[in-house]
Amino acid sequence: MSDDQLKRNIRPILHKPYGSMDLVSVKAPANHGSHQKDSNWWVVLNLAFQSIGIVYADLGTSPLYVYPSIFSNGIKHRDDILGALSLVFYTLTFLPLVKYVFVVLRAKDNGEGGTFALFSLICRYARVSLIPSQQAEDREVSNYKLELPSKRLKLASVLKSSLEKSQFAKIFLLLVTMLGTSMVIGDSIFTPSISVLSAVAGVKEVTSALTDDMIAGISVVILIFLFMIQRFGTHRVSYTFAPVLCVWFVLIGVIGFYNIIKHDTTVLKAINPMYIVEYFIRNKKDAWISLGGVVLCTTGAEALFADLGHFSVRAIQVSMCSMVNPALILAYTGQSSYLRQYPDEVSDAFYKSVPGPLYWPMFIVSILAAAIASQAMISGTFSIVHQSLSLGCFPPVKVVYTSANHEGQVYIPAINYILMLACIGVTAGFKSTVKIGNAYGTAVVFVMTLTSSLLVLVMIMTWKTNIFLIILYILTIGFVELLYLSSVLYKFTSGGYLPLALSAVLMIIMYVWNDVYRRKYHYELDHKISPARLKEISANKNMSRIPGLAMFYSELVHGIPPIFEHYVSNVPALHSIIVFVSMKSLHINKVPPEERHFFRRVEPRELFTFQCVVRYGYKDVREVAFEETLVTKLKEFIQEEILLQNQMLSTIGNNAEKGTESEGEIVERNNDVANAKQLEEEIMQQEIEQVQKEWEEAGIVHMIGESEVIAKKEANIMKRMVIDHAYNFLKRNVRKREKVFDIPHERMLKVGMTYQL
């Protein structure tokens, strides 16, 4: 058999047409890091200590403003304090402790938590994602693989099938995720405002000369300073967070215990839930309205889940149960005991209940704790926006990585300044923790309710929880959250409108960008270059080849994008090596580097053209040395491709030996196979050397599509408003694509084209 015959037999197997899904991944032995085993209690305790400084700052500072928000109109009956304390106790028990620490934390996505983690879990079990660039190979990524619902579990199977068939359900899930994300961003506006304002208000204990305007002004100065230092990152000072918060929790716990002993030990009977019933009977509608203040004791509970990626589940459980929850219960019980003696001082219950000698230490620690709580929420917002960017749900903005050792620490200048202006506006505009609390409560309860909604889907489809336990969860946790939601919505005109208005603006921005992103992808898919056209380009004798390596960037992963057609129509020259690069995000937190690059050779072979899909998770950071990494992976792909061919040739030779051929024919075939292997290895070596030579001598040219997006003439008014006005307005005011990819200007060529969507 001749060499050409052998190649014709083998290559169709290895080199499918470019429209196929058969990609070859360049992989190395997996070496995934993971948390230490929870059985190592020293590691758990160390992580638990660290988690106190990151996870609990917002939750821990809530005693500063909860009782003033509950009793905004004063205490009308002495036993109302017991009813409020009982509400706080059971709210802390059911929501942060039971729901988040012992239920929600189980819904981790490869160690990550948050709204996107829940959405990603659902998208991987049921094909409900609207991201158009999905491929069958994505499910082969090690972090992606999950057990699919069993056919035996009818409910999980039926729900999965229903979600996959319903376009409305897919859009609704995306909107729910966007709303949850928007509300968390809203939290990062209200947390700094209410925490800093509450802490600074304590100075009124030593001087009555300060007015509310002055305290608001001091708070604004602190907030400006806090946002100005964000550019330096938190890694330089974060090691002090845990000790400061530990001191804070010890102080509020000790002071709470002191107040219980000194003022009124009978407050301990508030553990009896009958005091809640009596509180509602006595106050009726006012008791229901006060729930908007009670729920503020759970502010920061979502951080228990959102910051899960930094710590293990067991570490968060240990820190919550051993220090945080007991300290908070003691703090609220101590304030209640003090208010039983001095009910008229409820507007400043926290500082009034602090013993005189501890006032200044407590004031200083409270300022630091408020700053840490603010810092945690601001950093969390940067992380959430970064995740939204990865999944195509947010316009491109500049992302700065502030730590070489911790890739998750990012700083986004545009978001930082927007948050700063919003915080200043809220603090200077409301000047009162009660009014800010009305807005804050709305954001907190909405996030909790949306988390529960997604969690129920996870329970049904992924955990396959017993239906009676799911119903129990809905009837208890779900009912409590809906009750709180109804209360905070009652205060809509008193500040509750603000987080809803902010979330509406953010959701419009996110959905418009994501919607047009998906439309552009489908346009490219409909206008991709056919195999016949590629053969024409390859056979065109007027098309010259010039030295160098050209990278064409496109979102398209299912074929050759139309940007290539525009290029060859205007420039009658092609570089020696062409790589079509597609960057895509998967519904997982991280893609192992050894599984990130998928290459495929584009036929005809004479074009020396490849397609590379570079896959990232929503927590991944793009490589600094992107060019070098891609060239290295390309050479590895060529080598692996030839190895696969040689294995196939060996298989043909072995099969021939088992057949009916004569000994002479077998020897001849084996010689042909050996010659073909040698020829392929020579070709491989030549191609690898050519890639290295072109990269070193001629360099890389980056081809970026400069697209103009317009609506079709027959499009309706709504579509025109979204595409021609909203999207193009956003596009004009966000980072350009080449800056997002960090492409050198001198090696970049823009290819203009128009998308009619």
Side-chain angles (χ1 to χ4, degrees), residues 545-550 574-577 693-695 697-699 701:
R545 302 303 291 263
I546 57 178
L549 194 156
L574 292 175
H575 290 77
S576 299
I577 304 170
K693 178 182 176 182
E694 298 293 346
W695 180 45
E697 296 183 3
V701 177

Side-chain angles (χ1 to χ4, degrees), residues 82 155 174 185 192 235 265 310 322 381 404-405 407 445 486 490 512 623 665 683:
L82 296 179
L155 180 61
L174 179 63
I185 294 174
H235 61 284
T265 57
H310 301 288
S322 63
T381 299
N405 299 322
E407 62 181 26
V445 181
S486 66
Y490 180 81
V512 165
E623 306 93 333
E665 290 174 331
I683 293 173

Side-chain angles (χ1 to χ4, degrees), residues 60-72:
T61 54
S62 57
L64 285 166
Y65 46 79
V66 167
Y67 276 126
S69 297
I70 295 175
F71 299 109
S72 57

Side-chain angles (χ1 to χ4, degrees), residues 651-663 665-666 669:
T651 302
I652 292 175
N654 293 334
N655 291 338
E657 293 178 8
K658 298 176 183 178
T660 59
E661 295 182 352
S662 65
E663 184 176 346
E665 290 174 331
I666 292 174
R669 177 179 286 275

Side-chain angles (χ1 to χ4, degrees), residues 12 67 117 148 208 226 428 483 489 646:
Y67 276 126
L148 292 175
S208 58
L226 187 63
L483 188 62
L489 289 178
N646 287 344

